[in-house]
Amino acid sequence: MRIRNAFYAQSGGVTAVINASACGVIETARANKDKIGKVYAGRNGIVGALAEDLIDTGKDTAKSIASLRYAPSGAFGSCRFKLKGLEENRLQYERLVEVFKAHNIGYFFYNGGGDSADTCLKISQLANKMGYPVQAIHIPKTVDNDLPVTDCCPGFGSVAKYVAVSVREASFDVASMAQTSTRVFVMEVMGRHAGWIAAAGGLASDKNCELPIVILFPEIPFSKEKFLAKVDAMVQQYGYCSVVVSEGVRGEDGKFLSDQGLRDAFGHTQLGGVAPVIANMIKDALGYKFHWAVADYLQRAARHIASRTDVEQAYALGKAAVQLALKGENAVMPAIVRLADKPYQWSIEVAPLQKVANVEKTMPRNFITKDGFGISEKCRGYMLPLIMGEDYPPYKDGLPQYVRLKNVAVPKKLADFEI
Amino acid sequence: MRIRNAFYAQSGGVTAVINASACGVIETARANKDKIGKVYAGRNGIVGALAEDLIDTGKDTAKSIASLRYAPSGAFGSCRFKLKGLEENRLQYERLVEVFKAHNIGYFFYNGGGDSADTCLKISQLANKMGYPVQAIHIPKTVDNDLPVTDCCPGFGSVAKYVAVSVREASFDVASMAQTSTRVFVMEVMGRHAGWIAAAGGLASDKNCELPIVILFPEIPFSKEKFLAKVDAMVQQYGYCSVVVSEGVRGEDGKFLSDQGLRDAFGHTQLGGVAPVIANMIKDALGYKFHWAVADYLQRAARHIASRTDVEQAYALGKAAVQLALKGENAVMPAIVRLADKPYQWSIEVAPLQKVANVEKTMPRNFITKDGFGISEKCRGYMLPLIMGEDYPPYKDGLPQYVRLKNVAVPKKLADFEI
């Protein structure tokens, strides 16, 4: 087997554990130096490959690479850059293959969501056609947990843990204040199309720690009347309640609830979140004092409260990707298979990219309670294993120590390319 | 020494560690059963005392009480209820003394901020005048860190740690995304009048991990022009930047920046945060894509990332309060004294309540950099010890286990009282 180099890139929104996958890729490649030469990373994702801006991960020590396991964000930079269709922009795909050829890259590891699975598949196909075969392996990553085939996506377990922990903590807080002050706490979470992250808020309440939580899923059209009745019932029963709202909630008219045409005093449009909309709606209709939070990046970057299960799966999938490549696989993705809920057991299977690319997995209706405002026991059984275990990063002077790699550039060999 | 009962109440916004103070009070009282009988807690703070709604903490086991050390929020309920001036509403004060008398309460421990220090002082004075002397001891608590005399306030160290960790994590995130997407991340934090919490965002960047952070303090009148120039300079230099904005930032006209007269499509006033205002301002003027977060309750409830120093001080001050009472002190507050910055050393001194009540400590100007957008080395030296150490709560099934006490009511002895 001829030694060829590998290329690894991070794509789309980053997570608390995408670097754990990078760690799995690089450590496994380093353990197979007889087959894989260098591991190059794309600076700022696939854009780095197009620009021939490659990072030589070999310049970083084993210790630094091992520390990737604990660092949130994308260590090599990520990008929001969707390659156009093959027919539309064949030049970009050809450029990628040229760059791979120039740097003796025979393995392409792409760490991202549904879009990047599609890109990965196209690159595999085109490279083949162009007579420079590249084994393209996709490594799943997305906080949204919306990829098909795989039982869950690395990144999701940690954001779910963050949301469950935060909703529990904030619910304790509002419970303390409710008699004379705040009655309702509203927390906005990510999930434009799928309610997996919002659902995690439901885990905050369990039989040992019952809490009144109302969830707004993007899968359920928002009914103001039913929602207000639910909140009011909760406050009447418990004295307070917490609302977890997905950023992607839409009204019965199909419009995002966050899109309220907010204007400032000068008539300028303001981009606000959905949490203040919901909070103000409750105040106006029910008169309850509220507090609201928008977690935004905090939720997906919260490596300090990452799920150990998630970290382990992220690493294992990175490792598996390299092992699959070494076995000669192409246009595939290692995926998590659930063997048992309790105790949780999982393994890794191989999924063809055709089944993954551009398919979005939303919450099954039976994961949501009949009234549309909570999670079912089925959902809890699915989700609980994913937030299991803590995996604290090292601290110094009170702060988590997140590695920054050297990110040394590989000398360019090709002419510039306009992206 | 005759055995008398103690009364303990939590006041105002709760924190991640106020229950650690409660733990210190109750455990120390239990260790002195020859002097202190029962420890009663006010259900929902001082309102519980007015209503004679007392909780018998003796009904909870030593294990439950010990677990208070790890539970955020107010275990007995808190309240936002400021007793009026003595002359205005003498009846309320008299009622308190009556309740204390009816339940043989000789020790009053009040765990709160500046307002409650004032209440504590008044109760001590009035009880004396009414011929039923009560030793009133105030235990400092406030995330805002704005109490005088004490070097810092329990609750602050943990919120500071949460903010520093979160800003570091989110800054790593935006750095990953900056080339093709988000350039600026804006995080809104608490602190209506004092910028201590916002300042903690500055700790996210240090000499081992430099990050571009711009802080907006309530102590510095907001200049749009200077702020935009600063953000632009940061983005030009680093490619991205994080902005930490205190909810209490005001323009040069003295108005809260968050008060933008936001209206929805129907003309209804919307209560929004200051983070979206800042984010939209940056987008409009500089064109940078942004993300924004509002931490709200999450920051003060985040027991999962509490500072060990903070937890230890909260417990120690609760313990000291009881010890002071046993020494015969009255109308005082145990306060933290800093003996050394590095290595950090502290002890507890006694402060008369006259010096504490109704005084607000804002950030000294020399804690803020000359340009008004960062923290000075002096501030860092002050603040760093306060976020030192982790003190993780116990977890089960992936979630922190926060104790809930039985909160058994003490039988009433008096007629009802209208609050």
Side-chain angles (χ1 to χ4, degrees):
Chain A
M1 195 168 173
R2 158 166 95 91
I3 293 180
R4 298 177 80 189
N5 298 323
F7 174 78
Y8 167 82
Q10 302 178 321
S11 176
V14 293
T15 79
V17 304
I18 186 171
N19 287 334
S21 289
C23 179
V25 167
I26 297 168
E27 288 189 344
T28 312
R30 286 187 180 189
N32 290 278
K33 280 192 197 295
D34 54 326
K35 292 156 201 148
I36 299 176
K38 304 257 186 189
V39 177
Y40 296 137
R43 194 183 306 275
N44 299 310
I46 200 72
V47 167
L50 288 168
E52 203 196 354
D53 191 356
L54 308 182
I55 289 164
D56 185 355
T57 68
K59 302 291 187 191
D60 275 287
T61 63
K63 195 182 159 198
S64 290
I65 297 300
S67 300
L68 281 178
R69 185 186 165 101
Y70 297 100
S73 82
F76 310 107
S78 185
C79 62
R80 292 215 177 270
F81 183 85
K82 187 167 159 56
L83 272 84
K84 290 179 190 158
L86 244 172
E87 302 318 308
E88 251 178 300
N89 200 341
R90 196 180 179 90
L91 274 181
Q92 286 183 342
Y93 292 89
E94 287 175 355
R95 164 71 175 186
L96 288 176
V97 177
E98 268 172 41
V99 170
F100 291 166
K101 202 168 172 180
H103 294 275
N104 187 31
I105 290 164
Y107 309 102
F108 173 51
F109 299 106
Y110 205 24
N111 205 168
D115 281 357
S116 58
D118 180 54
T119 303
C120 201
L121 178 58
K122 283 178 182 150
I123 286 172
S124 160
Q125 292 166 340
L126 190 77
N128 219 17
K129 275 191 203 156
M130 286 176 68
Y132 183 79
V134 168
Q135 287 171 250
I137 317 280
H138 187 252
I139 305 164
K141 169 250 50 163
T142 163
V143 292
D144 293 326
N145 202 40
D146 59 358
L147 289 185
V149 189
T150 188
D151 184 67
C152 60
C153 297
F156 172 66
S158 293
V159 76
K161 190 179 184 92
Y162 172 91
V163 170
V165 170
S166 297
V167 171
R168 176 168 286 191
E169 290 177 335
S171 296
F172 268 67
D173 195 306
V174 64
S176 307
M177 306 305 296
Q179 210 213 9
T180 55
S181 179
T182 309
R183 293 273 191 173
V184 180
F185 173 74
V186 180
M187 177 167 166
E188 176 176 333
V189 300
M190 289 179 162
R192 202 83 180 150
H193 306 292
W196 297 102
I197 297 176
L203 298 177
S205 174
D206 60 31
K207 64 178 192 294
N208 296 316
C209 181
E210 206 192 335
L211 297 167
I213 294 167
V214 179
I215 305 172
L216 295 173
F217 299 97
E219 286 88 351
I220 308 284
F222 179 76
S223 154
K224 185 174 172 176
E225 195 189 351
K226 283 182 197 160
F227 169 67
L228 290 171
K230 179 76 182 180
V231 168
D232 204 21
M234 287 291 203
V235 175
Q236 294 301 324
Q237 189 183 343
Y238 294 89
Y240 70 98
C241 97
S242 293
V243 178
V244 183
V245 54
S246 168
E247 60 179 343
V249 169
R250 294 162 190 260
E252 280 157 348
D253 58 1
K255 270 196 194 167
F256 284 119
L257 226 63
S258 54
D259 183 13
Q260 293 287 299
L262 276 193
R263 289 177 190 283
D264 67 14
F266 308 100
H268 298 137
T269 304
Q270 293 277 317
L271 299 173
V274 65
V277 172
I278 291 291
N280 280 288
M281 187 186 290
I282 292 168
K283 172 80 179 169
D284 287 348
L286 306 173
Y288 297 135
K289 188 164 186 277
F290 61 77
H291 264 253
W292 57 267
V294 175
D296 194 64
Y297 275 3
L298 306 185
Q299 68 200 288
R300 74 181 201 194
R303 181 60 185 81
H304 74 273
I305 189 64
S307 148
R308 177 178 288 272
T309 303
D310 192 31
V311 175
E312 285 171 356
Q313 292 184 339
Y315 183 91
L317 289 167
K319 181 177 176 177
V322 176
Q323 290 170 333
L324 289 174
L326 293 175
K327 279 188 201 158
E329 293 275 5
N330 188 2
V332 296
M333 175 184 94
I336 301 289
V337 185
R338 181 178 301 227
L339 305 172
D341 274 350
K342 215 174 172 179
Y344 181 52
Q345 288 184 298
W346 56 277
S347 67
I348 291 176
E349 67 169 5
V350 186
L353 284 184
Q354 277 94 344
K355 284 195 180 178
V356 180
N358 294 320
V359 180
E360 208 170 66
K361 182 174 72 179
T362 55
M363 291 265 291
R365 185 59 184 86
N366 68 358
F367 272 33
I368 300 173
T369 50
K370 212 175 164 191
D371 70 1
F373 296 118
I375 59 169
S376 66
E377 283 311 301
K378 208 174 166 75
C379 178
R380 184 181 297 277
Y382 166 77
M383 215 170 265
L384 209 49
L386 309 183
I387 68 164
M388 286 287 199
E390 294 69 55
D391 191 56
Y392 300 120
Y395 279 72
K396 196 187 157 200
D397 290 344
L399 283 162
Q401 299 301 294
Y402 296 140
V403 69
R404 280 170 155 174
L405 302 179
K406 290 184 199 152
N407 286 353
V408 176
V410 177
K412 294 191 180 193
K413 297 183 175 183
L414 301 173
D416 283 353
F417 176 81
E418 197 161 329
I419 300 169
Chain B
M1 196 166 172
R2 161 165 94 91
I3 294 181
R4 297 177 82 190
N5 297 323
F7 175 78
Y8 167 83
Q10 303 178 320
S11 175
V14 294
T15 78
V17 303
I18 185 170
N19 287 333
S21 289
C23 180
V25 167
I26 297 168
E27 289 189 344
T28 311
R30 286 187 179 189
N32 290 278
K33 281 193 196 291
D34 55 327
K35 292 156 202 147
I36 300 177
K38 303 258 186 189
V39 178
Y40 296 138
R43 195 184 304 275
N44 300 309
I46 200 74
V47 167
L50 287 169
E52 203 197 351
D53 191 356
L54 308 182
I55 290 164
D56 184 355
T57 67
K59 301 292 187 191
D60 275 288
T61 62
K63 196 181 159 199
S64 290
I65 297 300
S67 300
L68 281 179
R69 185 187 163 103
Y70 298 100
S73 82
F76 310 106
S78 185
C79 64
R80 292 213 179 273
F81 182 84
K82 187 167 160 57
L83 273 83
K84 290 178 191 156
L86 245 173
E87 302 318 310
E88 252 179 301
N89 201 340
R90 196 181 178 90
L91 274 180
Q92 286 184 341
Y93 293 88
E94 287 174 354
R95 165 71 174 185
L96 288 176
V97 177
E98 268 170 41
V99 170
F100 292 166
K101 202 168 171 180
H103 293 275
N104 186 32
I105 290 164
Y107 310 102
F108 173 51
F109 299 107
Y110 205 24
N111 205 170
D115 281 357
S116 58
D118 180 53
T119 303
C120 201
L121 177 59
K122 283 180 184 147
I123 286 172
S124 160
Q125 291 165 341
L126 190 76
N128 220 22
K129 274 191 206 160
M130 287 175 66
Y132 183 79
V134 167
Q135 288 171 248
I137 316 280
H138 187 252
I139 306 164
K141 169 251 48 166
T142 163
V143 292
D144 293 325
N145 202 39
D146 58 357
L147 288 186
V149 188
T150 188
D151 184 67
C152 59
C153 297
F156 172 66
S158 293
V159 77
K161 189 179 184 93
Y162 172 92
V163 170
V165 170
S166 297
V167 171
R168 175 168 286 190
E169 290 177 336
S171 296
F172 269 67
D173 195 306
V174 64
S176 308
M177 306 305 297
Q179 209 212 11
T180 55
S181 181
T182 308
R183 294 274 192 171
V184 179
F185 173 74
V186 179
M187 177 167 166
E188 176 175 334
V189 300
M190 289 178 161
R192 204 81 179 150
H193 306 291
W196 297 103
I197 298 176
L203 298 177
S205 173
D206 60 31
K207 63 179 194 294
N208 296 317
C209 181
E210 205 191 337
L211 296 167
I213 295 167
V214 179
I215 304 172
L216 294 173
F217 299 96
E219 287 89 350
I220 307 284
F222 180 76
S223 154
K224 184 173 173 178
E225 195 189 352
K226 283 182 198 162
F227 169 67
L228 290 171
K230 179 75 182 180
V231 168
D232 204 22
M234 287 291 201
V235 175
Q236 294 300 324
Q237 188 185 342
Y238 294 89
Y240 71 99
C241 96
S242 292
V243 177
V244 183
V245 54
S246 169
E247 59 179 344
V249 169
R250 294 162 190 259
E252 280 156 350
D253 58 2
K255 271 199 196 162
F256 284 119
L257 227 62
S258 55
D259 183 13
Q260 293 287 299
L262 277 193
R263 288 177 190 282
D264 68 13
F266 308 101
H268 298 138
T269 304
Q270 294 277 318
L271 299 174
V274 65
V277 172
I278 291 292
N280 279 289
M281 187 187 289
I282 292 168
K283 172 79 179 171
D284 287 348
L286 306 172
Y288 297 135
K289 187 164 184 277
F290 60 78
H291 264 252
W292 57 267
V294 175
D296 193 65
Y297 275 2
L298 307 185
Q299 69 201 289
R300 74 181 200 193
R303 182 59 185 82
H304 73 273
I305 189 65
S307 148
R308 177 178 288 273
T309 303
D310 193 32
V311 175
E312 285 171 356
Q313 291 183 340
Y315 183 90
L317 288 167
K319 181 177 176 177
V322 176
Q323 290 171 333
L324 289 174
L326 292 175
K327 279 189 200 158
E329 294 274 7
N330 189 3
V332 295
M333 176 185 95
I336 301 289
V337 185
R338 183 177 300 227
L339 305 173
D341 274 350
K342 215 175 173 180
Y344 180 51
Q345 288 184 297
W346 55 278
S347 67
I348 292 177
E349 67 169 4
V350 186
L353 285 183
Q354 277 93 344
K355 283 195 179 175
V356 180
N358 295 318
V359 180
E360 209 171 66
K361 182 174 73 181
T362 55
M363 291 266 291
R365 186 58 185 86
N366 68 359
F367 271 33
I368 300 172
T369 50
K370 210 173 163 191
D371 70 2
F373 296 118
I375 58 169
S376 66
E377 283 311 302
K378 206 172 168 75
C379 178
R380 183 181 298 278
Y382 165 77
M383 214 169 267
L384 208 50
L386 308 182
I387 68 164
M388 286 288 199
E390 295 68 54
D391 192 54
Y392 300 120
Y395 278 72
K396 197 187 155 198
D397 291 344
L399 283 162
Q401 299 302 294
Y402 296 141
V403 70
R404 279 169 155 175
L405 301 180
K406 290 183 198 152
N407 286 353
V408 176
V410 177
K412 294 191 181 193
K413 298 183 175 185
L414 300 173
D416 284 353
F417 176 81
E418 197 161 326
I419 300 168

